[in-house]
């Protein structure tokens, strides 16, 4: 893994979970990390810990995203790495006991998870394209976060699976287009990981979730996601694909 000293890395969803682990790993390699999150207090705490900058953002908003990138570029410099972890995990049946799902719920999931991914990707690419290329012509690396639900969405995950399926579909065409600018685009599709959303569930629920993970027979750790981020950043032949990080998990309907 190459040294990242003075490389600017943008991490969204940096206040906790996968984003926080990625921000710490990149900072340990020497990167100047811009921690972006809707939760600005959490982002500020993480930034203080790793010596980076904190920026509040609504990833689904063009205005908010543009303002955040304008500030971070002015303060830290143009990014060469984007790790986009921000997202939500809505869960509701299309037609359940309480009636039909409100269209607004579906639209919100798509806005945050899919539109938000594109919004951060486009803004990062804009600035990366202005970087000086390295000896291989690379100017930047973009990593977006999908989910195994994109492939095996469970009952109650129609919104989440559709939004993450869109993220999967975004990776290859974006990589093909941005290749002309020396920018790689990759996706990671995590399985069941120890994140605040999951660890807040009762212990018996957690055990039920990872019972179907073949090996290792446990929840994934955010640090393992961050390890893959570092591997992608360091290996220029990784481009245009989505890597499953799931311990061979294939989710069942329920």
């Amino acid at each position: 893994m190459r040294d990242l000293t003075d490389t600017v890395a943008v991490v969204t969803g940096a206040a906790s979970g996968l984003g926080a682990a990625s921000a710490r790993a990149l900072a340990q390699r020497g990167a100047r990390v811009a921690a972006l999150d809707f939760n600005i207090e959490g982002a500020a705490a993480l930034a203080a810990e790793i010596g980076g900058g904190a920026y509040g953002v609504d990833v689904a908003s063009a205005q908010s995203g543009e303002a955040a990138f304008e500030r971070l570029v002015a303060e830290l410099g143009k990014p060469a790495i984007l790790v986009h972890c921000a997202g939500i995990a809505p869960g509701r049946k299309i037609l359940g006991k309480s009636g039909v799902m409100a269209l607004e719920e579906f639209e919100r999931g798509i806005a945050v998870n899919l539109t938000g991914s594109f919004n951060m990707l486009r803004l990062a690419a804009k600035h990366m394209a202005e970087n000086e290329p390295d000896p291989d012509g690379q100017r930047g690396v973009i990593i977006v976060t999908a989910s195994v639900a994109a492939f095996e969405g469970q009952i109650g995950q129609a919104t989440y699976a559709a939004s993450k399926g869109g993220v999967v579909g975004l990776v290859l065409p974006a990589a093909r287009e941005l290749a002309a600018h020396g920018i790689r685009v990759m996706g990671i599709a995590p399985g069941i990981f120890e994140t605040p959303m999951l660890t807040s569930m009762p212990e018996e629920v957690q055990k039920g979730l990872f019972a179907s993970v073949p090996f290792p027979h446990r929840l994934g750790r955010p640090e393992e996601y961050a390890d893959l981020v570092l591997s992608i950043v360091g290996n220029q032949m990784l481009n245009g694909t989505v890597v499953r990080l799931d311990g061979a998990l294939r989710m069942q309907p329920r």
Side-chain angles (χ1 to χ4, degrees):
M1 177 64 195
R2 65 188 179 89
D3 180 58
L4 297 177
T5 300
D6 293 330
T7 299
V8 178
V10 177
V11 181
T12 71
S16 63
L18 306 179
S22 298
R24 291 187 181 102
L26 290 163
Q28 288 169 2
R29 294 286 184 172
R32 299 198 302 271
V33 177
L36 274 62
D37 206 293
F38 191 77
N39 173 9
I40 184 58
E41 292 82 7
L46 187 282
E49 174 192 330
I50 64 175
Y55 307 88
V57 69
D58 175 357
V59 297
S61 163
Q63 182 178 7
S64 177
E66 289 162 7
F69 268 85
E70 183 177 338
R71 283 187 56 210
L72 74 88
V73 169
E75 295 175 8
L76 299 178
K78 292 183 176 64
I81 299 168
L82 168 68
V83 183
H84 177 62
C85 298
I88 58 175
R92 186 181 295 274
K93 290 183 178 180
I94 299 167
L95 187 59
K97 293 180 180 178
S98 59
V100 68
M101 181 196 298
L103 182 59
E104 290 78 8
E105 293 183 46
F106 183 83
E107 291 174 334
R108 179 59 179 162
I110 296 298
V112 174
N113 292 345
L114 179 53
T115 303
S117 295
F118 180 78
N119 192 27
M120 295 297 100
L121 180 150
R122 75 181 181 99
L123 294 171
K126 171 189 174 183
H127 295 288
M128 288 177 181
E130 298 173 353
N131 287 333
E132 287 296 319
D134 69 10
D136 289 319
Q138 178 173 277
R139 291 184 171 89
V141 183
I142 294 172
I143 301 169
V144 293
T145 305
S147 167
V148 294
F151 310 103
E152 300 116 31
Q154 296 181 300
I155 291 171
Q157 287 189 324
T159 299
Y160 185 62
S163 66
K164 292 299 188 178
V167 173
V168 170
L170 173 63
V171 169
L172 180 58
R176 286 172 163 172
E177 179 178 336
L178 295 178
H181 301 279
I183 299 170
R184 292 188 287 125
V185 182
M186 285 287 293
I188 300 175
I192 302 170
F193 271 67
E194 294 175 356
T195 61
M197 179 182 66
L198 191 143
T199 54
S200 65
M201 297 178 181
E203 186 176 352
E204 61 271 19
V205 174
Q206 295 184 42
K207 288 181 178 178
L209 285 172
F210 70 73
S212 57
V213 181
F215 189 82
H217 197 56
R218 58 170 172 78
L219 302 177
R221 300 180 182 118
E223 293 76 18
E224 291 168 323
Y225 177 97
D227 286 344
L228 181 53
V229 165
L230 293 178
S231 295
I232 291 171
V233 169
N235 191 329
Q236 292 189 348
M237 286 302 290
L238 288 171
N239 193 15
T241 195
V242 177
V243 179
R244 291 184 66 132
L245 189 65
D246 58 18
L249 170 68
R250 297 297 183 268
M251 294 199 298
Q252 300 303 304
R254 298 180 185 274

